[in-house]
Amino acid sequence: MEMYIVLAVTLFMMIMFIWHKVPFGVTTMTCCIILAAAGIFDVKTAFSGFGNQIVVLIAPMLALSAVLGKTSLVAKISSLMDIMKNKRGILLVLTIYIVGAILAQFIPSTAVLTIMVVFLATLGNTGEITPKRLLLPLLGILCIWKSKLPIGMGATIFARYNALYEGIIPNEEYALQMLDPFIFSLVPMAVLTVYCLFAWRLLPKDDHQDIDRSALKNVKETAAMPHNQEILVYIVFIAVMLVLVLNKWTGSIMYVAPAVGVLILVYAKVLNVQEAVQKMTSDMIWMIAGVLAVADALGSSGAGEVIGRTILSLLGSNPHPLFVAFLFSAVTVIMTTFISNTATMNVLTPVAASVALAGGWDPRGLVLIIAVGNTLALGFPSGAAECAVCYAAGNYNPAKVLKFTLPYIILGISSMALTAY
């Protein structure tokens, strides 16, 4: 009976993630309450995710990243675009992509688009390189590069992925390490970056309609941070990054380093307490804490193994690992094209881990496919907030830009599957 209750709770969670009528955190907290009320877990265990080392690592990292975004670093990176105003050709395109990729490590992609479109609008609609020919490829760059470098939130993204399946496969040997997502992403990033570097020519150049800047979200201007405070932010951030990168030697200190950094900035009055609390109690934290409980329930009840064996039986008695990798790559990209990136990752990661468990495979390959593939949502406006903004600003017809988006999607699916295999 316990297993069927856990399966029902898991199904409820997946449906609610896809429907997304309430915040993800509300859904997972509902699951925790059901698990406790049904006697699957006691109350302490059902809500133990809030004390998990993964949550302790990620929550303060959100606050640190927010503070870094308030420094002049973003403005300095953006100012590089002024140097390129009189440049043309491949150097101009490459510079736009590089600046966009760097900005995507520190601020949301919608904000990056807003910053970049100001420069793109200066290009005009004459010549080969026009704003509308570069805006969609720039979205392609943001999709594959955001949070991929091991800095900012990219430094702790591995912990978020671990949270989605550690209860199903508790063997620490199969836990992701800090650099794993970055290393796995290298091939897809290289392939899709090269594609975007040349494939912008596939978009029509005879459309002289300007980018609709009214469709872009405004980036809030913040007051300049005093120089001494900014220097402290950089020192704290670099110190935290070093502790995370050197986790082989720093050990468990890694999990509390971001919290120490937040405390230093709070005591130095660089970070407002209210803002820090707001960031550290965001919906993402609720979601991760709740998912940890559901994943533990899937593992302890045997429900996860049942899911995995059921899917394996549908795939055949002995499916080839490469076929499974291609299947999860394709399903991930198709799902994330029409529902949110987060929902896609939350739904598919436990399923992939369960399939790997049933098949006797290392789950990290399939998990990383979903981790990378869930961001490749440029095929349709519904894929993510930045996709909606890009399609609206560029007035793109999804059917008319398929000559660019479809090869991008195929290359993304293929490069991920082959890398995992």
Side-chain angles (χ1 to χ4, degrees):
M1 184 62 181
E2 178 180 301
M3 184 181 70
Y4 293 111
I5 293 175
V6 173
L7 286 172
V9 169
T10 304
L11 181 61
F12 165 78
M13 183 179 73
M14 291 180 174
I15 292 173
M16 292 299 290
F17 278 160
I18 295 173
W19 192 30
H20 201 188
K21 288 299 182 180
V22 297
F24 294 123
V26 173
T27 293
T28 57
M29 287 301 100
T30 303
C31 293
C32 290
I33 291 172
I34 294 173
L35 291 174
I40 306 298
F41 288 146
D42 58 33
V43 174
K44 182 179 179 180
T45 304
F47 293 92
S48 61
F50 286 104
N52 188 282
Q53 62 184 15
I54 292 173
V55 173
V56 174
L57 172 68
I58 294 177
M61 199 67 210
L62 291 173
L64 280 182
S65 297
V67 175
L68 188 67
K70 291 183 177 182
T71 66
S72 63
L73 178 64
V74 172
K76 289 176 181 177
I77 295 173
S78 300
S79 68
L80 290 176
M81 301 310 299
D82 292 333
I83 302 174
M84 304 306 300
K85 281 187 176 179
N86 297 320
K87 303 294 183 181
R88 284 283 164 179
I90 195 71
L91 180 59
L92 173 63
V93 177
L94 181 60
T95 302
I96 291 173
Y97 290 170
I98 290 175
V99 172
I102 294 174
L103 287 174
Q105 310 309 312
F106 303 103
I107 59 178
S109 296
T110 49
V112 176
L113 282 173
T114 303
I115 293 170
M116 298 299 293
V117 80
V118 174
F119 175 79
L120 290 178
T122 67
L123 298 178
N125 285 316
T126 60
E128 287 289 316
I129 301 176
T130 62
K132 287 190 64 174
R133 294 186 90 183
L134 285 189
L135 182 58
L136 187 59
L138 175 60
L139 174 64
I141 293 294
L142 299 182
C143 285
I144 189 58
W145 278 88
K146 66 179 179 181
S147 297
K148 295 299 190 299
L149 300 182
I151 56 177
M153 282 307 299
T156 57
I157 201 74
F158 76 99
R160 183 180 173 189
Y161 301 148
N162 284 336
L164 296 174
Y165 74 97
E166 70 168 14
I168 300 172
I169 305 179
N171 189 341
E172 292 187 2
E173 178 186 348
Y174 293 132
L176 295 174
Q177 301 302 311
M178 178 184 172
L179 294 179
D180 287 347
F182 170 68
I183 294 172
F184 181 88
S185 301
L186 285 175
V187 172
M189 283 194 299
V191 170
L192 294 178
T193 299
V194 172
Y195 172 75
C196 291
L197 196 57
F198 297 99
W200 57 269
R201 297 177 183 274
L202 296 174
L203 296 170
K205 65 177 180 178
D206 57 350
D207 184 351
H208 297 296
Q209 184 179 9
D210 290 330
I211 289 177
D212 181 7
R213 293 177 62 175
S214 66
L216 296 167
K217 295 186 176 180
N218 293 324
V219 179
K220 295 181 180 179
E221 294 186 3
T222 56
M225 182 180 292
H227 180 69
N228 61 328
Q229 291 188 352
E230 188 167 309
I231 294 299
L232 179 60
V233 171
Y234 293 148
I235 292 174
V236 168
F237 193 82
I238 291 172
V240 170
M241 289 300 103
L242 285 174
V243 173
L244 294 179
V245 171
L246 301 175
N247 64 84
K248 181 178 179 181
W249 295 276
T250 57
S252 60
I253 296 176
M254 171 183 74
Y255 293 98
V256 298
V260 173
V262 168
L263 287 175
I264 292 173
L265 295 181
V266 168
Y267 280 118
K269 299 188 182 303
V270 177
L271 177 61
N272 181 280
V273 173
Q274 183 178 0
E275 183 180 6
V277 172
Q278 182 182 17
K279 291 295 182 182
M280 291 192 293
T281 56
S282 65
D283 180 64
M284 180 190 294
I285 301 305
W286 283 43
M287 182 202 72
I288 294 173
V291 164
L292 284 165
V294 176
D296 285 343
L298 282 169
S300 62
S301 68
E305 186 174 355
V306 170
I307 293 173
R309 291 191 181 282
T310 301
I311 294 176
L312 277 182
S313 66
L314 295 175
L315 295 175
S317 57
N318 189 27
H320 195 281
L322 182 59
F323 169 72
V324 176
F326 265 102
L327 177 64
F328 272 95
S329 297
V331 170
T332 300
V333 174
I334 292 171
M335 279 187 64
T336 199
T337 299
F338 299 102
I339 65 175
S340 79
N341 300 346
T342 304
T344 299
M345 184 174 65
N346 292 348
V347 169
L348 290 182
T349 302
V351 174
S354 298
V355 170
L357 177 65
W361 306 321
D362 186 332
R364 289 173 292 185
L366 295 182
V367 169
L368 287 170
I369 283 175
I370 296 165
V372 175
N374 86 90
T375 64
L376 304 184
L378 86 166
F380 208 71
S382 61
E386 57 265 30
C387 298
V389 170
C390 179
Y391 273 83
N395 194 28
Y396 294 115
N397 182 324
K400 292 184 178 180
V401 295
L402 269 178
K403 63 174 65 176
F404 173 83
T405 58
L406 187 58
Y408 178 99
I409 289 171
I410 293 173
L411 286 171
I413 291 173
S414 302
S415 59
M416 289 189 300
L418 292 173
T419 300
Y421 178 71

